[in-house]
Amino acid sequence: MAQLRGPTGFYQVGSILVTNVEAVLAASAGGPVERACVVPGEIAWDGCNCGLLAVSVRRWFLTDNFPESGIGLGGSSVASRATPCDLPYLVGELRVQVIRCAPIPDGNAISVPCSDLDAAAQVLLSDAYVTLTEVVSTLCELRETDQIIDYVLGEQETLGPAGDCVGSELVAQVALVR
């Protein structure tokens, strides 16, 4: 397979992640998500009632010392490469979020029953695990087939609840040939 390159390469990686994670989510505790896409900029939580899987490229940089960002980080870069013109790798930070409904109190209630919170926690943890394992599997395959140079997995954390949405976000840096 051909190496993915430049900014369209990040879109392609994001699209592959969306396709693969969406397929595995469909058979998970939370079931399928209604919306799954690569999005521009920040991921908007404007409709989590049926589930959202979104991938966004939040930042990118040039380097010759992946996973370090910038020129001269990590030691010998300044001596070996004097300008950004020579930096061979374009690195993108991808964020993968899976968002679902969070339970909210019914009617005049001030709190949510523990059984509802428990069920939501099970779906959140299942979604997070599916996302983590499928992103790792997909990025490993892309690296092994030389479509990407390499990747570094960042942290995965719970987001929310905010409004009636809750989910998780996984961060990965992916290096492509410039």
Side-chain angles (χ1 to χ4, degrees), residues 35-125:
R35 297 186 312 147
C37 48
V38 177
V39 301
E42 294 291 328
I43 298 170
W45 291 12
D46 55 2
C48 63
N49 59 332
C50 296
L52 168 68
L53 162 62
V55 175
S56 177
V57 181
R58 293 261 310 263
R59 69 183 188 109
W60 45 93
F61 56 89
L62 297 172
T63 188
D64 68 342
N65 191 19
F66 182 71
E68 302 295 333
S69 61
I71 304 170
L73 297 177
S76 63
S77 290
V78 170
S80 64
R81 302 197 190 273
T83 72
C85 298
D86 299 323
L87 299 175
Y89 306 127
L90 179 61
V91 178
E93 181 182 274
L94 281 74
R95 296 186 177 251
V96 182
Q97 290 185 10
V98 177
I99 307 301
R100 305 274 189 171
C101 285
I104 55 174
D106 287 332
N108 293 330
I110 1 178
S111 62
V112 175
C114 283
S115 59
D116 292 353
L117 295 172
D118 184 82
Q122 289 180 49
V123 170
L124 172 75
L125 294 171

Side-chain angles (χ1 to χ4, degrees), residues 2-4 6-7 31 44 93 97 100 119 125 127 130 144 152 158 163 168:
Q3 278 189 332
L4 303 176
E93 181 182 274
Q97 290 185 10
R100 305 274 189 171
L125 294 171
D127 286 350
V130 163
E144 289 166 5
V152 174
T158 299
S168 69

